[in-house]
Amino acid sequence: MTPVGHAAFSYVIGRAAARGVPISVAGMVLGGVLPDIDFAVIWAPQFNEWHRVVTHNVFFCGLAAAVAGVVARARGAGASTVWPLVLGVFVGGLGHLLTDSTMDTNASNGIGVAWLWPLTREAYSPFNLMGLLGRPDNTAGWNDLGAAALAVLAGLVWELPWWLGAAWLWRGRERPPAG
């Protein structure tokens, strides 16, 4: 899933969850895109070994949520703001792992996500929606950017509804009064 897809998915789920749970939608979106921070080192020879491992696990999601909480608290936020933010970042991160586990065109290290790294590097994928499109994986890897781009384009089939839902919700969101 692309970063826009992860953000849209997190926004839609966050808006739905916020109706009944004190959760930060902004935290959900942050947590939803944060695991792909590992793309900052895509140039590294070890990238294919790291992607969907080091930042794609429950421990990273927990660490990211804790750091968000510490930063918010240091900036003077109260508990009524900090805890919904922490929950949002954590749940948003888990949503990222879920979508990467089920909408996989990973050009790096095969199907799935290492949910429990560093305890195990085993990648988990309960099912792969991309297989329904006849593109179960991108075995060419990042060395064949054309094949990687086609895999991403195929994934847009599953992302587009989230984009549209997020745009619809964003357009209809409550805004503070002008003036």
Side-chain angles (χ1 to χ4, degrees), residues 76-141:
S80 63
T81 301
V82 171
W83 290 114
L85 175 67
V86 168
L87 181 61
V89 171
F90 185 71
V91 172
L94 294 181
H96 183 112
L97 302 184
L98 177 66
T99 58
D100 275 2
S101 290
T102 60
M103 300 176 63
D104 204 336
T105 57
N106 189 357
S108 297
N109 50 12
I111 303 297
V113 170
W115 282 75
L116 296 176
W117 185 86
L119 302 178
T120 177
R121 287 185 65 96
E122 183 178 344
Y124 177 74
S125 177
F127 54 87
N128 187 8
L129 292 172
M130 295 308 295
L132 298 175
L133 298 176
R135 298 197 61 84
D137 64 12
N138 175 15
T139 56

Side-chain angles (χ1 to χ4, degrees), residues 20-174:
V21 177
I23 194 165
S24 165
V25 177
M28 285 275 300
V29 173
L30 175 62
V33 297
L34 205 51
D36 278 340
I37 196 169
D38 61 358
F39 272 98
V41 293
I42 194 171
W43 51 266
Q46 299 86 359
F47 176 76
N48 286 337
E49 296 171 31
W50 296 338
H51 186 61
R52 300 258 176 110
V53 177
V54 177
T55 60
H56 285 66
N57 60 73
V58 295
F59 304 108
F60 177 82
C61 295
L63 178 63
V67 168
V70 168
V71 169
R73 194 74 182 120
R75 296 187 64 148
S80 63
T81 301
V82 171
W83 290 114
L85 175 67
V86 168
L87 181 61
V89 171
F90 185 71
V91 172
L94 294 181
H96 183 112
L97 302 184
L98 177 66
T99 58
D100 275 2
S101 290
T102 60
M103 300 176 63
D104 204 336
T105 57
N106 189 357
S108 297
N109 50 12
I111 303 297
V113 170
W115 282 75
L116 296 176
W117 185 86
L119 302 178
T120 177
R121 287 185 65 96
E122 183 178 344
Y124 177 74
S125 177
F127 54 87
N128 187 8
L129 292 172
M130 295 308 295
L132 298 175
L133 298 176
R135 298 197 61 84
D137 64 12
N138 175 15
T139 56
W142 292 106
N143 294 328
D144 183 348
L145 292 180
L150 286 175
V152 169
L153 286 174
L156 296 182
V157 168
W158 300 111
E159 285 189 39
L160 188 58
W162 297 106
W163 292 4
L164 295 174
W168 181 71
L169 287 171
W170 180 263
R171 186 171 177 264
R173 75 190 185 287
E174 291 183 27

